[in-house]
Amino acid sequence: MAKYYTEPSHTFSEYLLIPGYTGKENIPTNVSLKTPLVRFKKGENAPLKLNIPMVSAVMQSVSDDRLAIALAKEGGISFIFGSQSISSQADMVERVKNYKAGFVVSDANLMPTSTLQDLLHIFEETGHHTMPVTEDGTSHGKLLGLVTSRDYRLSRMEPTTLVKTFMTPFDELVTAPKTTSLSEANDIIWDHKLNTLPIIDENQNLCYLVFRKDYDSHKENPNELLDEEKRLLVGAGINSRDYTERVPALIKAGVDVLVIDSSEGYSIWQSETIAWIKKQYGNQVYVGAGNVVDEEGFRFLADAGADFVKIGIGGGSICITRETKGIGRGQATAVIDVAKARDAYFEEKGIYVPICSDGGIVYDYHMTLALAMGADFVMLGRYFSRFEEAPGQKLVVNGNTVKEYWGEGSARARNWGRYDLGQGKKLSFEEGVDSYVPYAGLLKDNVTMTTLKIKSTMCNCGALTIPELQEKAKLTLVSSTSIVEGGAHDVQVKNRDNSYK
């Protein structure tokens, strides 16, 4: 006979936090949002921690190298999407790792036969004023010169003017060999009063660029998430099909943590994937798994060796798994249930396996609820897809600026590898949609505001850390009527132009 859960499953919107005692010490500047990212033993510290409890979803429209850099600067981590070629994903990982190290792979390159119009087009796409000129126009071609905004004047030059006529040629550039350390590169920059230093190999091929502006980066981003070599941390998504080829390439590129991207994680395929990675690499790389929605699923993945476990099936804004397959669980109930299992596992085994709430976040306060219910961090897709740094194209639709956002289970993503059907079979129906989301500006501005809200609410609960919030939080279910009461009601809301709605 089927097993029935008699209690209804609930979403985050059905809960509110009850305030606790607020002392003089409970101010946002005193709150720490640090949280463990991977498993650790009782009495020890987690080998990897987040400075903010936010990670970006393994999605084509969310997590590429540009967003990974922006999020790591704020203290979180991105899991670069795996529904692309192995070499392309590894290149993204490498670009993130090299970014903070000061050695930046150029993504704005010209050929000597390129025109001023070509230069302006690249500037519109990337926003970069400094562009290497290489023999073949690639980021690692033979370096022939460099163009900066000082090398041309739009008012005095025709759009068809060739780059080779106004670039600073190679023999006038100050360059450094590939063996140069970052400290040495910075000395060269300061000694020669440079803004940019090209790093080249023995054949004059461009390797990296080092910029003066990166010297003070940490002062501007005190919360940035760094490894022991002061490089930004980055994660990557994998599947349970080509992991024997993909994982070695990602590790070679410098990835810090992996996660198995799947619609459902309680499967033999995930345990086999984890076992292979652990056997081949031990603690050289960490791997999360999921998704699950109950105690059985959590224990299965924890026993399999998962370094963290993701919770959530069908709760994402672009996910239609529940209406397509009739499988899933309300996100709040799933988090509460799995958090209890995580705590019981810790008491029994002496091993703490962090849990990640993935999906169901509509408002910023839902993140605080997820943390209070036991999640160690939250994975976000729609939230990050709205930002300037996200991969989706920015468009104007009906007078509103939006960004494209599509699910990994959609036909557009064609990421059938995340569905563990076994024996090489592929999915023949969709579990995600293609959509637009309102454009929200820069990641830094939005994350700063969101984390301030989380900290403020934690202070209202009398908590200064996430574990303290989980211990002190008081939660209440709310009725549909009280949900209406919680928003603006019984008034005419004034618009910015003083009209009413």
Side-chain angles (χ1 to χ4, degrees):
M1 181 178 177
K3 179 178 180 179
Y4 288 90
Y5 290 86
T6 56
E7 181 184 339
S9 64
H10 300 284
T11 66
F12 293 130
S13 289
E14 295 177 80
Y15 283 92
L16 287 175
L17 283 159
I18 302 296
Y21 172 72
T22 302
K24 291 183 178 180
E25 73 280 5
N26 294 120
I27 56 176
T29 53
N30 288 342
V31 174
S32 170
L33 294 180
K34 291 182 183 293
T35 190
L37 176 61
V38 298
R39 68 163 57 202
F40 59 93
K41 294 181 179 179
K42 193 171 187 177
E44 298 180 358
N45 292 319
L48 283 184
K49 290 184 178 181
L50 299 169
N51 290 331
I52 60 172
M54 301 167 68
V55 304
S56 68
V58 190
M59 301 176 69
Q60 294 175 6
S61 56
V62 178
S63 297
D64 65 356
D65 51 303
R66 187 182 178 202
L67 188 124
I69 290 168
L71 181 53
K73 283 182 175 181
E74 299 308 309
I77 195 169
S78 289
F79 288 92
I80 291 177
F81 69 95
S83 50
Q84 59 178 315
S85 70
I86 294 173
S87 60
S88 176
Q89 188 184 26
D91 285 344
M92 286 189 180
V93 169
E94 187 173 15
R95 285 197 288 271
V96 178
K97 298 306 292 186
N98 286 327
Y99 180 89
K100 178 56 189 176
F103 297 103
V104 180
V105 177
S106 175
D107 61 356
N109 307 287
L110 298 162
M111 292 190 293
T113 54
S114 300
T115 64
L116 178 59
Q117 186 62 48
D118 295 328
L119 181 154
L120 295 176
H121 178 69
I122 293 175
F123 171 72
E124 288 178 1
E125 286 189 338
T126 66
H128 298 326
H129 291 282
T130 300
M131 301 184 193
V133 182
T134 59
E135 196 169 63
D136 59 1
T138 67
S139 56
H140 295 302
K142 185 175 182 180
L143 184 63
L144 302 180
L146 196 68
V147 174
T148 70
S149 57
R150 296 178 298 178
D151 293 320
Y152 60 90
R153 290 192 178 181
L154 299 178
S155 60
R156 298 185 180 183
M157 298 171 66
E158 294 295 325
T160 56
T161 306
L162 297 180
V163 166
K164 64 181 179 182
T165 64
F166 60 86
M167 70 181 187
T168 301
F170 178 80
D171 56 8
E172 295 180 21
L173 295 174
V174 176
T175 63
K178 190 176 181 180
T179 55
T180 304
S181 69
L182 181 58
S183 177
E184 292 169 337
N186 283 324
D187 287 342
I188 294 171
I189 286 174
W190 287 101
D191 291 345
H192 293 270
K193 299 180 179 179
L194 305 173
N195 288 321
T196 309
L197 176 67
I199 306 296
I200 59 174
D201 66 14
E202 63 277 8
N203 297 316
Q204 200 177 311
N205 294 316
L206 178 65
C207 299
Y208 307 108
L209 298 175
V210 179
F211 296 97
R212 175 191 288 262
K213 64 181 177 62
D214 288 339
Y215 188 77
D216 294 325
S217 175
H218 187 62
K219 293 180 181 179
E220 299 174 6
N221 303 286
N223 220 26
E224 61 188 353
L225 198 62
L226 305 176
D227 64 17
E228 293 179 351
E229 298 178 33
K230 305 301 181 184
R231 302 177 301 174
L232 296 175
L233 262 62
V234 62
I238 60 173
N239 60 58
S240 57
R241 296 181 182 279
D242 65 2
Y243 59 89
T244 57
E245 294 83 29
R246 188 174 295 270
V247 171
L250 293 173
I251 290 177
K252 183 178 180 181
V255 75
D256 298 288
V257 59
L258 304 167
V259 66
I260 305 172
D261 178 37
S262 174
S263 62
E264 203 279 302
Y266 191 2
S267 75
I268 184 63
W269 317 116
Q270 292 220 1
S271 63
E272 288 181 348
T273 303
I274 296 169
W276 184 87
I277 294 172
K278 295 295 182 181
K279 181 178 180 181
Q280 296 294 323
Y281 297 101
N283 289 329
Q284 186 177 343
V285 69
Y286 302 97
V287 56
N291 287 15
V292 300
V293 292
D294 64 3
E295 177 183 4
E296 289 182 14
F298 169 81
R299 282 186 169 270
F300 173 80
L301 291 177
D303 286 339
D307 289 302
F308 67 86
V309 174
K310 286 203 297 151
I311 308 163
I313 295 176
S317 60
I318 41 70
C319 184
I320 56 173
T321 294
R322 294 181 193 174
E323 64 182 80
T324 301
K325 298 171 64 176
I327 191 170
R329 197 177 193 187
Q331 189 66 9
T333 300
V335 170
I336 292 169
D337 195 15
V338 175
K340 290 178 181 177
R342 184 268 322 275
D343 293 343
Y345 194 86
F346 182 54
E347 289 300 316
E348 293 172 21
K349 309 276 189 176
I351 299 173
Y352 189 92
V353 181
I355 56 175
C356 167
S357 177
D358 176 19
I361 301 292
V362 180
Y363 305 107
D364 285 357
Y365 82 88
H366 287 173
M367 300 183 206
T368 315
L369 285 172
L371 297 172
M373 291 171 179
D376 294 283
F377 52 97
V378 296
M379 177 171 277
L380 305 160
R382 183 195 60 84
Y383 176 87
F384 288 116
S385 71
R386 304 170 300 142
F387 302 154
E388 177 68 33
E389 297 88 347
Q393 187 176 357
K394 186 164 62 175
L395 305 167
V396 176
V397 178
N398 297 326
N400 299 311
T401 304
V402 298
K403 293 206 74 170
E404 295 178 306
Y405 178 46
W406 60 97
E408 288 299 293
S410 67
R412 176 172 181 172
R414 300 193 67 79
N415 185 14
W416 310 137
R418 74 195 300 266
Y419 298 92
D420 301 320
L421 304 181
Q423 301 176 348
K425 295 180 181 179
K426 293 186 178 181
L427 197 70
S428 57
F429 54 87
E430 294 182 75
E431 291 190 35
V433 300
D434 199 342
S435 66
Y436 297 123
V437 290
Y439 174 68
L442 295 174
L443 179 146
K444 182 180 182 65
D445 296 337
N446 285 273
V447 168
T448 298
M449 181 59 69
T450 296
T451 52
L452 178 59
K453 291 178 183 178
I454 294 172
K455 289 179 178 181
S456 179
T457 304
M458 288 173 63
C459 289
N460 295 146
C461 296
L464 295 177
T465 66
I466 292 174
E468 190 177 11
L469 173 67
Q470 293 166 351
E471 179 184 346
K472 292 184 175 181
K474 296 180 289 184
L475 293 143
T476 180
L477 276 167
V478 295
S479 68
S480 58
T481 304
S482 63
I483 292 174
V484 174
E485 180 186 59
H489 59 91
D490 301 317
V491 295
Q492 288 183 305
V493 179
K494 185 187 295 185
N495 294 322
R496 291 182 180 179
D497 60 0
N498 286 326
S499 63
Y500 293 92
K501 64 179 180 180

